[in-house]
């Protein structure tokens, strides 16, 4: 029986489509909380969390027990054919968690892209308009519609066009890369002047913290301006919380930090602790715009995923994980700011709650994707699973489970520190 990562990679390359990239050439054997062991027995600290899917960690006992219990009852009915109570309870809880003093409803789906695509469908049905505005650097999924909405070509869009029309991209405020809040505002006004009149725009879609785009936090001032703009023109504001939701930033939804209330919210990733589940939640009258039969899916709102989601929500309450996210975020920022003082290559440390990244630049002030890639490789060789991201591929993101101990988090940060000491020139000794 094949037991080495190398041998399995050979089999993978022969059997799996080339377009499915793999960052780390290892295969998992087991995992627990914020640790993972590969098939050769090597142990890793997990700072990736399956790309923000494991806020409650690997194999949380409550989630495992809930899925096992549900599996013993039934695994599938298709909610549109025979309903199950878990779906309704998850929807009720999401309606209560979403900001806004108005009646809300939810629809449960399977993937983040599916949630975003359905949010657009709902917005079009509610407004009887067709155009959608998103932002540069944004990531919304891999379906053709969500690729059209995604604000980055390489690698996501290469060779897959043409894409659905009437999707326009405004500039996302990004002070580090020279895009001010006023620049972002002006870009929306330019779209209205040159591309599409506001009365034809169904929705503006924004991530409160760009995920794949580099963990850039949308300025609260800009979000408030965007809310007012949408209200002025009858446009729906859609908050894409696929990566930020389910407590990553110290609140259940990241938009809550700003005080802005969107019309629709999409969520997925950590919602069900690793079992595929996504949702759209929003104003009841908007959510009810599609006719019966217009929403759904064979696997949408799977009984197993809903059982897992309810267990995730219980774990957040019982273990006070929102507060843990805030405390963990403060600790990460403190450690990384200290490191930044010793490492000239770190141009910026940023984030919201425990959704933290730092961006690497060359000595002449350019994005350093090469150093980011080397650091990711160094980390794996030294027992840390790490991910890069960003429009230039030069940001290092930290998505360690909120359930990880501070000691384990510090051990991971020590590996990052050692890696930058070795890989980056002109490092001082303060870190």
């Amino acid at each position: 029986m094949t037991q080495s990562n190398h041998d399995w990679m050979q089999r993978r390359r022969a059997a799996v489509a080339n377009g499915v990239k793999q960052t780390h050439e290892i295969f998992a054997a087991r995992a627990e909380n914020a640790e993972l062991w590969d098939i050769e027995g090597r142990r890793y600290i997990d700072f990736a969390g399956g790309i923000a899917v494991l806020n409650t960690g690997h194999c949380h006992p409550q989630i495992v027990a809930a899925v096992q219990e549900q599996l013993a009852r039934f695994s599938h009915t298709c909610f549109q054919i025979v309903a199950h109570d878990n779906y309704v309870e998850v929807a009720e809880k999401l309606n209560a968690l979403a900001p806004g003093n108005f009646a809300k409803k939810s629809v449960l789906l399977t993937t983040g892209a599916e949630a975003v695509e359905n949010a657009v469908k709902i917005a079009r049905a509610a407004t009887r308009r067709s155009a959608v505005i998103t932002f540069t650097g944004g990531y919304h999924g891999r379906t053709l519609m969500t690729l059209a909405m995604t604000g980055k070509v390489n690698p996501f869009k290469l060779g897959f066009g043409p894409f659905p029309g009437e999707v326009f991209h405004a500039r996302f405020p990004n002070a580090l890369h020279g895009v001010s809040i006023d620049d972002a505002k002006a870009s929306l006004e330019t779209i209205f002047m040159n591309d599409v009149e506001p009365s034809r725009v169904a929705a503006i879609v924004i991530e409160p913290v760009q995920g794949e785009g580099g963990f850039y936090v949308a300025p609260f001032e800009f979000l408030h301006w965007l809310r007012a703009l949408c209200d002025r023109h009858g446009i729906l504001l859609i908050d894409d919380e696929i990566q930020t939701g389910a407590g990553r930033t110290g609140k259940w939804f990241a938009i809550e930090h700003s005080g802005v209330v969107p019309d629709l919210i999409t969520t997925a990733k950590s919602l069900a602790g690793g079992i595929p589940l996504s949702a759209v939640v929003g104003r009841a009258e908007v959510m009810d715009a599609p006719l019966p039969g217009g929403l759904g899916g064979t696997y949408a709102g799977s009984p197993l995923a809903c059982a897992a989601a309810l267990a995730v929500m219980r774990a957040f309450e019982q273990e006070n994980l929102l507060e843990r996210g805030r405390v963990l975020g403060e600790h990460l920022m403190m450690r990384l700011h200290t490191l930044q003082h010793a490492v000239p290559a770190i141009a910026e440390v940023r984030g919201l709650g425990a959704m933290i990244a730092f961006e690497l630049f060359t000595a002449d002030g350019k994005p350093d994707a090469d150093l980011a890639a080397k650091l990711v490789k160094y980390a794996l060789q030294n027992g840390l699973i790490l991910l890069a991201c960003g429009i230039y591929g030069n940001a290092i993101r930290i998505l360690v489970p909120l359930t990880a101990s501070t000691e384990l988090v510090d051990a991971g940060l020590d590996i990052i520190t050692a890696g930058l000491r070795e890989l980056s020139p002109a490092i001082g000794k303060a870190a």
Side-chain angles (χ1 to χ4, degrees):
M1 181 178 178
T2 304
Q3 291 294 334
S4 75
N5 289 309
H6 176 268
D7 288 345
W8 272 109
M9 282 303 301
Q10 295 301 107
R11 292 174 64 174
R12 179 203 191 283
R13 292 188 178 103
V16 179
N18 186 57
V20 183
K21 183 182 177 181
Q22 185 173 335
T23 303
H24 302 299
E25 295 191 356
I26 59 174
F27 283 75
R30 64 185 179 93
E32 181 180 354
N33 199 357
E35 296 172 279
L36 180 146
W37 288 262
D38 71 12
I39 58 173
E40 296 177 6
R42 280 188 290 269
R43 171 259 197 187
Y44 303 88
I45 299 169
D46 188 356
F47 269 26
I51 312 183
V53 169
L54 298 167
N55 289 350
T56 48
H58 292 276
C59 298
H60 190 288
Q62 285 197 47
I63 300 170
V64 172
V67 173
Q68 288 175 336
E69 180 183 350
Q70 179 58 51
L71 185 59
R73 294 173 61 207
F74 56 88
S75 63
H76 178 73
T77 63
C78 185
F79 187 77
Q80 298 99 271
I81 308 303
V82 177
H84 55 93
D85 54 359
N86 283 348
Y87 186 118
V88 177
E89 191 172 352
V90 171
E92 289 173 342
K93 289 184 178 296
L94 285 173
N95 296 340
L97 286 165
N101 186 24
F102 44 77
K104 307 182 193 76
K105 288 190 175 182
S106 293
V107 59
L108 304 186
L109 303 151
T110 309
T111 69
E114 193 180 358
V116 174
E117 188 132 342
N118 274 273
V120 171
K121 288 164 53 180
I122 292 165
R124 284 176 166 174
T127 62
R128 302 299 179 189
R129 303 176 181 184
S130 54
V132 176
I133 296 174
T134 61
F135 290 86
T136 55
Y139 178 81
H140 300 287
R142 293 180 182 270
T143 62
L144 283 176
M145 183 64 194
T146 55
L147 279 178
M149 296 166 67
T150 291
K152 182 180 179 181
V153 172
N154 188 10
F156 307 117
K157 297 186 179 186
L158 291 177
F160 294 140
F163 301 105
E166 294 203 292
V167 176
F168 307 93
H169 292 92
R171 302 179 77 186
F172 189 89
N174 188 333
L176 183 65
H177 293 282
V179 182
S180 69
I181 292 174
D182 285 341
D183 292 334
K185 292 178 181 179
S187 72
L188 279 152
E189 299 295 351
T190 299
I191 288 172
F192 291 153
M193 182 172 61
N194 293 343
D195 300 309
V196 62
E197 65 272 31
S199 61
R200 279 182 45 222
V201 178
I204 295 176
V205 186
I206 190 168
E207 297 165 280
V209 183
Q210 288 195 329
E212 187 67 33
F215 285 33
Y216 299 108
V217 180
F220 297 166
E221 173 193 338
F222 182 69
L223 290 174
H224 281 276
W225 179 86
L226 207 57
R227 176 72 273 178
L229 179 76
C230 288
D231 290 342
R232 186 161 65 250
H233 295 295
I235 298 168
L236 295 177
L237 180 60
I238 299 177
D239 170 27
D240 183 343
E241 299 250 6
I242 302 303
Q243 190 163 158
T244 56
R248 187 72 227 171
T249 68
K251 293 186 180 291
W252 189 262
F253 293 115
I255 198 77
E256 296 176 70
H257 290 278
S258 70
V260 170
V261 177
D263 300 295
L264 299 174
I265 300 173
T266 61
T267 185
K269 295 283 190 182
S270 279
L271 178 59
I275 311 298
L277 183 69
S278 65
V280 184
V281 54
R283 294 181 179 273
E285 69 273 17
V286 174
M287 294 294 296
D288 279 343
L291 296 175
L295 303 176
T298 301
Y299 297 106
S302 154
L304 299 178
C306 288
L310 292 173
V312 166
M313 293 172 182
R314 285 194 297 272
F316 263 86
E317 292 175 2
Q318 294 171 4
E319 300 173 31
N320 201 15
L321 291 181
L322 290 181
E323 176 61 24
R324 172 59 182 158
R326 291 189 282 269
V327 171
L328 177 59
E330 290 171 0
H331 183 72
L332 288 167
M333 291 291 278
M334 181 271 294
R335 282 287 310 264
L336 291 172
H337 277 304
T338 299
L339 181 60
Q340 183 181 19
H341 291 310
V343 181
I346 299 179
E348 184 175 76
V349 178
R350 59 177 175 268
L352 196 61
M355 189 172 178
I356 306 294
F358 58 93
E359 190 158 347
L360 299 170
F361 274 29
T362 61
D364 57 353
K366 296 178 181 178
D368 197 343
D370 181 61
L371 178 56
K374 288 178 179 177
L375 181 59
V376 169
K377 183 178 179 180
Y378 175 95
L380 188 72
Q381 292 170 343
N382 288 273
L384 175 67
I385 297 172
L386 200 59
L387 292 174
C389 66
I391 50 179
Y392 302 105
N394 66 316
I396 298 294
R397 51 180 156 176
I398 297 177
L399 290 165
V400 63
L402 304 179
T403 49
S405 69
T406 302
E407 292 74 20
L408 193 72
V409 171
D410 279 337
L413 291 170
D414 288 345
I415 294 171
I416 290 173
T417 299
L420 286 172
R421 282 187 182 281
E422 182 172 317
L423 297 170
S424 180
I427 289 185
K429 299 298 182 183

